[in-house]
Amino acid sequence: MADKNDGLAMPAASADVVDRIKYLIKLKRYNQSSFGQAINVDSATVSRILSRRKAPSESFINRIVVDLGVSKRWLTEGKDVPFPKGGDRRAAAQPVGAPVYNIDVTAGTTPLSRMFTDERIVGRVCLPGLSSELPIVRVSGNSMVPKLNPGCFISIRPISLDAPISWGRIYVLVLPDYRLVKYVRRNPDPSLLTLHSANPDYDDIEVRRSDIEGLYLVENIINHDFLA
């Protein structure tokens, strides 16, 4: 699909982000469905944004910038050109924000270190205090309610198995037969860790440190659907 304007008039100076998105859709000959597929956003969300029933979020804008190579300055401010040449075009094509992986950290036994591949990235998110270098993954189950709601997302930092534990903080633990997310508490036996659930319906459990195959500190918790 051509990047030239193909005779389409550029949005006027008074245009907003939605007007520029509509211009891109016409320019690239997308419909709402194919545009959504190009940036990995469902067509219902695209429809709400184009009809101005929903404001385009920062993550939505970043997906357009990354997936279509569009100038963010043009998209958000109306300055520059949609597809700049040279350094601006290359900068616009760089991934923006923390990667969101299609991974449920409480399901399966595969070591997470082998799962963080580009094919599993479903989007990227920019939020204050959120490191763009740390992966974001999903949590299922209700053992950590109300701290972690079912289906919420967490940003995790890999920790060496020999590193000191920050007692009372939430970790993702990879064990031989399962993965889980729990508060980690000190155990009287230094060879054990006590895992505590936020949900009072769940009892504490003990695991041997030597059984832990992977350890990740939960840095951020996002208890809402920020990708919509």
Side-chain angles (χ1 to χ4, degrees):
M1 296 181 182
D3 288 346
K4 297 179 181 180
N5 62 23
D6 290 344
L8 289 176
M10 288 278 285
S14 59
D16 62 5
V17 174
V18 173
D19 289 327
R20 286 186 282 275
I21 293 173
K22 290 180 178 179
Y23 172 79
L24 286 174
I25 291 174
K26 291 180 179 179
L27 181 65
K28 305 291 281 184
R29 297 187 177 92
Y30 288 126
N31 55 35
Q32 289 187 14
S33 177
S34 59
F35 177 71
Q37 292 175 1
I39 61 173
N40 287 313
V41 173
D42 65 272
S43 58
T45 297
V46 173
S47 176
R48 290 197 298 271
I49 289 173
L50 295 181
S51 62
R52 302 182 188 278
R53 289 177 288 147
K54 176 182 175 68
S57 66
E58 183 72 12
S59 61
F60 184 88
I61 290 171
N62 286 337
R63 288 184 184 217
I64 297 175
V65 171
V66 173
D67 294 334
L68 301 185
V70 175
S71 163
K72 189 170 184 177
R73 188 164 181 248
W74 175 82
L75 186 59
T76 57
E77 302 175 27
K79 301 175 182 178
D80 198 3
V81 292
F83 300 98
K85 297 180 179 180
D88 290 339
R89 174 75 181 260
R90 289 191 295 272
Q94 293 300 311
V96 177
V100 181
Y101 289 85
N102 184 23
I103 296 173
D104 184 339
V105 292
T106 53
T109 60
T110 304
L112 292 176
S113 58
R114 299 213 310 260
M115 300 181 71
F116 293 132
T117 61
D118 289 345
E119 292 77 13
R120 289 182 175 269
I121 295 177
V122 295
R124 291 180 179 268
V125 174
C126 290
L127 289 174
L130 189 66
S131 172
S132 62
E133 298 178 357
L134 300 183
I136 296 175
V137 292
R138 187 174 62 256
V139 178
S140 62
N142 63 355
S143 69
M144 290 296 288
V145 172
K147 187 66 176 180
L148 303 178
N149 294 332
C152 80
F153 292 82
I154 55 176
S155 171
I156 58 177
R157 180 183 300 279
I159 302 295
S160 168
L161 297 179
D162 298 326
I165 297 291
S166 296
W167 304 113
R169 295 194 64 179
I170 302 175
Y171 285 83
V172 175
L173 299 96
V174 181
L175 298 167
D177 298 323
Y178 52 93
R179 302 191 298 255
L180 70 173
V181 181
K182 299 290 181 185
Y183 286 108
V184 175
R185 292 181 172 178
R186 191 191 301 271
N187 191 287
D189 183 342
S191 68
L192 301 176
L193 295 177
T194 298
L195 307 183
H196 178 72
S197 300
N199 188 334
D201 292 336
Y202 288 77
D203 294 331
D204 289 352
I205 60 177
E206 294 180 338
V207 298
R208 293 189 176 279
R209 284 185 180 234
S210 59
D211 288 340
I212 298 174
E213 298 178 347
L215 194 61
Y216 299 80
L217 178 65
V218 175
E219 294 277 8
N220 301 92
I221 300 169
I222 307 157
N223 269 322
H224 60 87
D225 187 4
F226 61 90
L227 292 179

